[in-house]
């Protein structure tokens, strides 16, 4: 956010909306997967899957912060108009 401090509120709102949407998706998948049985093994598998996805996302974000993650090409700052 140090590059664009005026967009901090937008980033926070987008982060919250993504978290709420992800939670809704996971709870829907859990409801369908568990059905009427409610097996603890199924719930454990869902928890491990969501935790694994979170770990992958965190590692990708860390790699992006270091500049080693695949990202979109950026424009050359020397060629932008003022």
């Amino acid at each position: 956010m140090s590059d664009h401090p005026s967009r901090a509120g937008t980033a926070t709102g987008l982060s919250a909306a993504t978290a709420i949407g992800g939670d809704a998706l996971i709870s829907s998948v859990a409801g369908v997967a568990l059905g009427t049985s409610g097996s603890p093994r199924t719930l454990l598998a869902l928890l491990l899957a969501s935790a694994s996805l979170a770990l992958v996302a965190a590692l990708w974000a860390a790699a992006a912060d270091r500049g080693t993650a695949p990202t979109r090409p950026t424009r050359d700052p020397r060629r932008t108009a003022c």
Side-chain angles (χ1 to χ4, degrees), residues 10-52:
T10 303
T12 302
L14 183 59
S15 175
T18 303
I20 291 170
D23 292 343
L25 179 66
I26 289 172
S27 65
S28 297
V29 169
V32 169
L34 291 173
T36 58
S37 68
S39 169
R41 290 179 192 235
T42 306
L43 183 59
L44 179 61
L46 288 170
L47 288 171
L48 288 174
S50 64
S52 298

